[in-house]
Amino acid sequence: MYTKIDGKQVSQAVRARIAEETASLKSKGIEPGLAVIIVGNDPASRVYVNNKKKACEQTGINSFEYAMAEDTSTEELISLIEKLNNDKRVSGILCQLPVPKQIDEERVLNAISPDKDVDGFHPVNCGRLMTGCAKFAPCTPAGMVEMLKYYNIPIAGKHCVIIGRSNIVGKPMAMLMLANNATVTVCHSKTDNLPEITKQADILVAAVGKPKFVTAEMVKDGAVVLDVGINRMENGKLCGDVDFDAVCEKTSYITPVPGGVGPMTITMLLQNTLTAASDEN
Ligand code: GUN
């Protein structure tokens, strides 16, 4: 028997606490505010940005949307970010990724003030995470750790195998799990003998971007499996990077897609916005 980790339930519990903390900050005259920048017309980005704004509303956090045209230049985007860096109403700034091709993403992320970088993507915040003193941990990995803690799943001493080495998920997840005293292995597309390594995982994180990539042969009996993938199938349904139906019976805990890791990502963004608002005052 396995337990399906309910990301919506964990998310609701954390958001209730965030709403209380927001109300408490407001009673002291501090108004947390999140600026969300979206460049261009990517439909998936539009859905994510709308969900972020809705989550802010639900918890009492102010949100400000800045929608920019598809042909926006790096300079125009940086000039908006500099304005927001100096805007007292704005505690946190997020630029939805991916940005259109002509934009230099690295310059844009570096332009966000590290004190308002609620995504945790600025090199200063990556460095803080690496040295074990994160101010803003990237939201998706932070959400996964929060879920493990909610279900009292032990992390210390466990072998966590992460498939995927992105700056947004794989690498920061490795740092967070290390900070929680796990033993960490990071695998990627060039890893030899991948199933041999994933079979050693007590906690297996799939952040590959390939539907049903993780099969039953890759999973140890009793493992905890966290699925970061959001893939759209031909029939229009969403599926993760894990073949859920084939893998679930081997696990002790597993996240579904949708309703697993996804809801937690936005919740941690709200948490980081509160941290930014508290720290600036
Ligand atoms: N695009 C996909 N995931 C993310 C995220 O966590 N933050 C931002 N800014 N863009 C994303």
Side-chain angles (χ1 to χ4, degrees):
M1 265 305 286
Y2 66 93
T3 300
K4 201 195 271 191
I5 295 180
D6 186 342
K8 282 193 194 153
Q9 185 186 324
V10 186
S11 202
Q12 267 172 9
V14 179
R15 284 187 199 192
R17 180 178 46 74
I18 289 173
E20 275 173 26
E21 284 176 24
T22 304
S24 156
L25 280 179
K26 282 179 161 176
S27 73
K28 294 178 202 149
I30 302 166
E31 293 253 343
L34 175 67
V36 183
I37 306 171
I38 176 167
V39 187
N41 311 309
D42 181 61
S45 289
R46 175 37 71 196
V47 173
Y48 292 135
V49 164
N50 288 349
N51 287 341
K52 287 169 185 178
K53 282 164 50 190
K54 212 181 324 166
C56 283
E57 263 168 43
Q58 283 169 355
T59 45
I61 294 174
N62 295 330
S63 73
F64 312 99
E65 179 182 312
Y66 297 86
M68 302 185 85
E70 183 78 34
D71 64 353
T72 299
S73 67
T74 304
E75 280 68 29
E76 284 168 324
L77 182 48
I78 289 180
S79 141
L80 169 64
I81 289 170
E82 283 170 352
K83 219 173 72 193
L84 297 173
N85 282 341
N86 295 309
D87 188 333
K88 288 259 177 292
R89 298 169 309 152
V90 172
S91 334
I93 303 169
L94 173 149
C95 179
Q96 187 65 31
L97 302 176
V99 283
K101 289 187 300 292
Q102 77 279 8
I103 290 178
D104 183 337
E105 182 181 300
E106 190 184 351
R107 275 183 65 203
V108 167
L109 296 181
N110 289 2
I112 296 174
S113 160
D115 293 329
K116 295 193 176 188
D117 170 37
V118 285
D119 261 326
F121 296 163
H122 190 286
V124 165
N125 287 316
C126 299
R128 286 175 177 154
L129 181 64
M130 185 136 192
T131 50
C133 47
K135 180 179 165 100
F136 302 115
C139 302
T140 300
M144 286 192 272
V145 172
E146 193 75 25
M147 287 199 296
L148 293 172
K149 293 190 170 167
Y150 184 89
Y151 282 85
N152 292 315
I153 297 169
I155 303 175
K158 301 300 175 193
H159 187 187
C160 175
V161 176
I162 300 163
I163 321 174
R165 55 175 159 177
S166 71
N167 290 335
I168 295 183
V169 181
K171 285 186 214 165
M173 185 62 178
M175 290 305 126
L176 283 181
M177 293 305 273
L178 269 182
N180 282 280
N181 298 314
T183 301
V184 178
T185 302
V186 182
C187 303
H188 47 79
S189 54
K190 304 276 191 300
T191 298
D192 283 338
N193 305 322
L194 182 65
E196 234 170 73
I197 300 169
T198 59
K199 267 198 94 100
Q200 296 170 28
D202 301 307
I203 300 171
L204 180 60
V205 178
V208 204
K210 291 185 184 155
K212 302 189 181 183
F213 180 83
V214 173
T215 56
E217 303 76 60
M218 297 167 74
V219 177
K220 178 166 84 172
D221 278 331
V224 176
V225 176
L226 305 176
D227 189 349
V228 182
I230 303 179
N231 309 289
R232 182 78 61 186
M233 311 253 279
E234 275 172 15
N235 63 9
K237 279 192 169 177
L238 290 181
C239 98
D241 291 347
V242 176
D243 186 349
F244 186 94
D245 292 335
V247 167
C248 61
E249 290 297 346
K250 288 188 91 174
T251 70
S252 53
Y253 292 87
I254 182 167
T255 60
V257 176
V261 174
M264 287 305 293
T265 296
I266 296 185
T267 300
M268 301 321 286
L269 174 67
L270 302 173
Q271 176 65 62
N272 281 348
T273 305
L274 266 195
T275 302
S278 313
D279 285 4
E280 77 190 321
N281 288 281

